[in-house]
Amino acid sequence: MSEQADQMAAVAFAGASLAPFFLNDPRTGDAADAFAAMAELDVAAAAAEWPFVDEATAADALALMREGLAAGADNENLVWEYRRLFVGPGHLPAPPWGSVYTDRECVVFGEATLALRAWMRRVGVARTADERTPEDHIGLMLALLSYLAEERPDLVDEYLRDHLLTWALHYLEALEAAADHPFYQGLAALTRSTLLGLQAARGLEVTLPHFYC
């Protein structure tokens, strides 16, 4: 396998591994297997293999995630924290949609959403599920990153540079600060470190927008 293919396989793995935790309620969502695997994770072994992140940083983040699952994925504190951070009701301390940060009005379905939707239409990438959630939800965008790495690797750099890395690092920093539970603190830290490492590995220069929120 070529270096490019190896790197795309690593991108696909990272995106697919992280996305379910942003998209699914620990108790009622469709990621029970992912939560169960994380609860039993061999942190040292996983950190040694985690792509784009140095071993010590990955170990710290993965240890937080496993610690957060010590009482089980249906633990009230974990479930409550997911809903506080991602669902509501009420104000979300770190909303998971790109347009909230980059649109002057700080709204869902804003300019970043429309730009991503137009790009997906232009390159022939269709949504296959969850039509109600804006396309620029961090979980959907990580899942799309995984898909592109597997099926359309020629699009990965453009997608990262123009759509995901423009806001995700800013959001993940805000999420880590807002999280009161070790699982989501670790998830935010691991995802941010992974994207930073991926940006460096791909040599991408990203022009950051003005952040309004």
Side-chain angles (χ1 to χ4, degrees), residues 8-104:
M8 287 300 106
V11 173
F13 165 79
S17 297
L18 295 167
F21 298 124
F22 289 98
L23 289 169
N24 289 279
D25 184 298
R27 180 178 292 162
T28 62
D30 295 326
D33 289 346
F35 281 101
M38 181 60 67
E40 299 297 326
L41 190 71
D42 182 329
V43 169
E49 297 295 329
W50 191 267
F52 309 113
V53 182
D54 70 81
E55 189 171 341
T57 299
D60 287 345
L62 288 165
L64 280 173
M65 294 176 71
R66 177 167 174 169
E67 175 192 339
L69 291 173
D74 63 348
N75 178 262
E76 193 66 32
N77 290 335
L78 178 67
V79 173
W80 174 257
E81 182 70 345
Y82 177 82
R83 295 172 185 176
R84 183 181 76 87
L85 293 172
F86 295 98
V87 181
H91 171 75
L92 301 183
W97 305 282
S99 68
V100 172
Y101 302 96
T102 60
D103 192 281
R104 185 180 298 274

Side-chain angles (χ1 to χ4, degrees), residues 64-145:
L64 280 173
M65 294 176 71
R66 177 167 174 169
E67 175 192 339
L69 291 173
D74 63 348
N75 178 262
E76 193 66 32
N77 290 335
L78 178 67
V79 173
W80 174 257
E81 182 70 345
Y82 177 82
R83 295 172 185 176
R84 183 181 76 87
L85 293 172
F86 295 98
V87 181
H91 171 75
L92 301 183
W97 305 282
S99 68
V100 172
Y101 302 96
T102 60
D103 192 281
R104 185 180 298 274
E105 303 301 323
C106 299
V107 293
V108 179
F109 286 110
E111 292 179 8
T113 317
L114 299 178
L116 176 58
R117 184 179 296 172
W119 180 82
M120 292 172 65
R121 186 181 305 115
R122 178 172 63 81
V123 300
V125 175
R127 293 187 66 163
T128 59
D130 195 2
E131 295 292 336
R132 296 173 298 174
T133 302
E135 288 87 341
D136 60 342
H137 185 287
I138 185 64
L140 291 178
M141 292 194 73
L142 289 168
L144 178 55
L145 176 63

